[in-house]
Amino acid sequence: MNQPPLAAALLLALCVPLAGQHNDTAEREIQRHLRDENWAKAQAKLEAWTAARPDDGRGWFLLAYALGQQGELKRAVEVGTKAATFAPSRGNALYNVACMQTRLGELDAAMASLHESRQAGFLDIDLAETDPDLEPLRGREDFPSPPRLEYDEFRAPNGVVIGYHVDVPADYDADSSYPTVVAFAPGNWKRRAADWMRTELFGREPNQAGLIVVTVVAPDRGWHTHPAHHALEALVRRVRRDYAVAPGRIAAFGLGQGARPATTYLRMSKRVFDTLITIGTTAWGTWKDTELARFRDQHIVEIFGSQDEHAQRQSERIATVFAESGFDYRQVIVPDSGPTAEGLRGAALLDLLAAQLRGDAPALGR
C-alpha cells in the first residue's frame, strides 16, 4: 500500500462512486483529492462524509487509506477494521489493515489480516508480492504465496502477447473432444494471480474432469483494450487447432475481478464464447437493463458462496431481468463459503464446470 502503483482492486475502490447521488459536490471533491493524492484534504472530507453516512463502508475504507498514506497508522488500522465490517469493502480493507499492521511491526496480526483478506476476495497476488509494506512478511513460511509456474506465450498477428497454460484431462485422447473453459485470473489478471488460480482454485491434482482449462494472463496493457480482444480470439483459434475442443464454442470463466473480462468478452466475442461461468462477482453492476439483451442467446452460470450475501444481492436485478426475458441463467450456491466460494476447489470445481457445459449439472445449486 505504501508506494507501488495501485492494484486494480484498490484503484477500483478509489474510483467507484461513494454512496449517494453521483453529482454530490462533496463526493466530487473527495474523488478529486484522491486522484491528486492530496491525502490531508481527502481525509478532512472523508471525516465529514463518514460522520454523515456511517453505513457507507467504502467511505470508511477510503478514510483509512488516506490516514495510512499520512502515517497515522494506529488510527488507520482502527478505521480500516471498521471498513472491513462492510461486505463490499472487506477484502480491500483487510489488505490495507495488513499493510499498516506490518508497518507498525505487528507482524502476526498483519499475517492474520492478509489471510483474511484472501478469504474475503482480495486476490491481487502480484501486489501482495511486490508491495514494500509487506516486505517483512514475505520471508515467513506462512506468507500466502503460490508456487511460480510456467506459461507459454502466444503472439497474436496484431503483436499483442498473451501468456497461457492449457491443462488437459489426465486421460486426454486427441481423438475425443472435451468441453473447454478460458479462465481469467482474479486480482489484476496477471501472472501471479494466474498461478494462484491454477494451484489453489483448480488444484494441484491431475485433472480427472474431462475438461480442458485454458488459463490466460493479461497482456501488458490489460484485457480492456481493442487489440487484446482480437488477440484473445486468435489464441482461442490456436487452442482449437492444437487440442481436442468439443464442437461449438468455449466458456469464459472468472472469479471475482476475473469475472469482469470474462463478462466483457462474452459480449465482444460471440464467435468464440457462448457460456459465462463466474464465482462471487458483482461484475454486472455497470450494465444497464437494456444492454443485457445482448446476452439473449448465451448461457450464464453464477456461483456464490452461501455467506456472500453482498454478491447475491447485487445479482438479484440480473436474475430478475434474465428470468423475465427467458434467458438461460442459473445460480449455484456453495454451502459454508464466502466470496471466493472456498468450499468449491480442485476436482469439485472442475467437475461442476464440466457438468454445466455438458448440461448435466449436479445437485449442488438451484
Side-chain angles (χ1 to χ4, degrees):
M1 172 186 157
N2 194 14
Q3 290 299 331
L6 291 176
L10 292 184
L11 183 60
L12 181 69
L14 292 175
C15 295
V16 168
L18 293 151
Q21 296 183 0
H22 290 270
N23 62 354
D24 188 283
T25 300
E27 179 183 343
R28 293 201 306 271
E29 291 178 348
I30 289 170
Q31 297 293 349
R32 184 178 72 252
H33 294 323
L34 292 171
R35 287 194 300 268
D36 295 343
E37 299 186 2
N38 193 328
W39 306 117
K41 289 186 178 180
Q43 176 189 340
K45 293 291 183 181
L46 284 162
E47 298 274 16
W49 184 277
T50 51
R53 301 167 177 82
D55 294 330
D56 181 9
R58 184 171 288 110
W60 290 108
F61 163 76
L62 294 175
L63 176 57
Y65 194 92
L67 289 165
Q69 290 293 335
Q70 297 175 90
E72 297 185 38
L73 302 182
K74 287 188 176 295
R75 181 151 183 255
V77 169
E78 295 174 1
V79 175
T81 301
K82 166 111 178 144
T85 64
F86 298 89
S89 305
R90 182 168 174 78
N92 289 339
L94 286 168
Y95 177 82
N96 284 344
V97 166
C99 290
M100 292 177 284
Q101 288 171 324
T102 304
R103 292 167 65 184
L104 285 166
E106 301 171 357
L107 300 189
D108 289 341
M111 187 66 78
S113 296
L114 184 60
H115 280 275
E116 287 183 50
S117 76
R118 293 280 174 91
Q119 293 297 318
F122 186 86
L123 294 170
D124 193 333
I125 314 299
D126 293 80
L127 178 65
E129 297 198 350
T130 57
D131 194 329
D133 284 345
L134 298 183
E135 181 61 33
L137 298 184
R138 282 194 281 272
R140 293 176 45 146
E141 292 185 357
D142 53 347
F143 187 81
S145 180
R148 294 184 179 273
L149 303 177
E150 297 297 323
Y151 295 84
D152 294 322
E153 282 193 350
F154 173 75
R155 181 176 295 275
N158 61 12
V160 174
V161 177
I162 298 176
Y164 73 103
H165 173 78
V166 179
D167 179 40
V168 299
D171 59 352
Y172 178 76
D173 179 357
D175 293 326
S176 298
S177 62
Y178 302 87
T180 301
V181 299
V182 173
F184 295 87
N188 68 353
W189 316 311
K190 294 292 188 177
R191 182 165 182 154
R192 296 297 283 142
D195 290 344
W196 179 90
M197 174 174 277
R198 287 171 57 188
T199 56
E200 303 302 323
L201 187 63
F202 296 136
R204 308 184 192 194
E205 298 300 319
N207 173 1
Q208 306 286 352
L211 178 74
I212 295 175
V213 180
V214 184
T215 304
V216 291
V217 178
D220 290 342
R221 294 180 58 193
W223 285 122
H224 297 301
T225 61
H226 191 64
H229 160 228
H230 292 298
L232 183 68
E233 290 189 356
L235 171 60
V236 174
R237 288 195 294 271
R238 166 72 65 84
V239 171
R240 281 193 175 279
R241 186 194 73 188
D242 294 345
Y243 295 90
V245 175
R249 297 172 183 169
I250 300 177
F253 169 82
L255 182 154
Q257 287 287 90
R260 294 183 181 275
T263 304
T264 299
Y265 279 100
L266 182 71
R267 177 180 63 83
M268 294 175 64
S269 301
K270 290 188 175 182
R271 293 172 297 178
V272 173
F273 301 111
D274 74 346
T275 300
L276 173 72
I277 304 177
T278 64
I279 294 180
T281 180
T282 56
W284 297 106
T286 58
W287 291 86
K288 299 177 182 178
D289 287 2
T290 54
E291 295 175 318
L292 298 178
R294 301 174 184 178
F295 299 94
R296 181 174 304 278
D297 299 323
Q298 297 171 299
H299 316 290
I300 298 171
V301 180
E302 294 195 291
I303 302 170
F304 301 108
S306 59
Q307 299 165 4
D308 189 5
E309 297 177 357
H310 171 64
Q312 292 182 54
R313 285 196 302 271
Q314 290 294 308
S315 283
E316 287 177 359
R317 176 180 67 91
I318 302 302
T320 300
V321 171
F322 285 163
E324 291 176 348
S325 302
F327 287 16
D328 183 2
Y329 172 83
R330 65 176 279 130
Q331 292 185 354
V332 176
I333 307 300
V334 183
D336 303 319
S337 296
T340 67
E342 56 272 17
L344 191 63
R345 290 289 187 270
L349 174 59
L350 295 176
D351 286 341
L352 177 62
L353 295 178
Q356 293 292 341
L357 291 175
R358 289 193 304 263
D360 57 349
L364 176 67
R366 70 183 186 197

